[in-house]
């Protein structure tokens, strides 16, 4: 079994930016030379998240709108008392969605559904430079 680790750097536009990383991850799998196994993508940071979505304009609005209902920006957050960085909601949203995802790899391709894309979700209140850790495991 082979283990291959890579970093994926992305620049986000700020809050609620949803970045399709599917192609980049497939390129990394190709570079890793792994045909069958799994790939894990991890966000080192507590205001970003990874998930999958059907990358179409409606859902790109529906997801942030739903997060606003679950953890509203103008609600009260204890985090603000300590840090005053205005992103209590960002941390809570990121924890709910989660910082990592694992996807099966078959014949060198992600085993995603036809309408399923892999995305990084910027939940912080400003544009950020992000480095995702991509770990491929397999043979
Ligand atoms: Zn904070």
């Amino acid at each position: 079994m082979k283990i291959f680790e890579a970093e994926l750097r992305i620049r986000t536009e700020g809050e609620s930016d949803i970045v399709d990383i599917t192609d980049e991850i497939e390129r990394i799998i190709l570079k890793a030379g792994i045909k069958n196994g799994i790939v894990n993508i991890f966000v080192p940071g507590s205001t970003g998240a990874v998930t999958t979505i059907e990358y179409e304009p409606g859902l790109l609005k529906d997801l942030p709108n739903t997060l606003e209902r679950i953890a509203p920006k103008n609600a009260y957050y204890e985090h603000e008392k300590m840090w005053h960085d205005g992103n209590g909601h960002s941390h809570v949203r990121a924890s709910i969605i989660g910082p990592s995802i694992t996807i099966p790899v078959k014949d060198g391709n992600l085993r995603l559904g036809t309408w399923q894309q892999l995305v990084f979700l910027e939940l912080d209140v400003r544009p950020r430079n992000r480095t995702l850790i991509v770990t491929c495991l397999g043979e």
Side-chain angles (χ1 to χ4, degrees):
M1 197 183 61
K2 207 183 329 183
I3 301 173
F4 181 89
E5 193 186 282
E7 291 183 349
L8 175 60
R9 288 187 174 79
I10 49 178
R11 172 79 185 162
T12 69
E13 308 277 325
E15 190 160 49
S16 298
D17 191 11
I18 302 175
V19 184
D20 186 348
I21 57 171
T22 314
D23 290 349
E24 282 91 339
I25 299 300
E26 287 201 319
R27 265 196 291 278
I28 289 171
I29 293 167
L30 194 72
K31 202 172 149 198
I34 283 168
K35 293 280 170 223
N36 297 295
I38 53 171
V39 60
N40 175 270
I41 297 108
F42 179 76
V43 184
S46 59
T47 54
V50 280
T51 187
T52 67
I53 197 168
E54 179 179 337
Y55 204 87
E56 59 87 16
L59 284 169
L60 297 184
K61 291 197 182 100
D62 290 332
L63 183 58
N65 289 346
T66 303
L67 289 172
E68 174 60 26
R69 289 195 288 272
I70 295 169
K73 198 170 183 164
N74 62 6
Y76 173 78
Y77 295 94
E78 293 285 337
H79 179 71
E80 192 58 20
K81 275 207 293 202
M82 178 112 110
W83 298 100
H84 310 289
D85 55 1
N87 69 356
H89 64 290
S90 312
H91 290 283
V92 171
R93 292 174 186 185
S95 294
I96 290 170
I97 296 174
S100 77
I101 191 166
T102 300
I103 299 167
V105 174
K106 184 146 192 246
D107 301 324
N109 297 306
L110 290 168
R111 287 285 282 116
L112 291 167
T114 309
W115 308 108
Q116 185 179 25
Q117 279 78 41
L118 185 53
V119 292
F120 172 78
L121 223 64
E122 182 57 77
L123 298 165
D124 212 341
V125 291
R126 59 190 170 86
R128 298 279 306 258
N129 290 309
R130 298 290 192 174
T131 303
L132 311 187
I133 310 299
V134 184
T135 309
C136 307
L137 212 95
E139 47 198 18

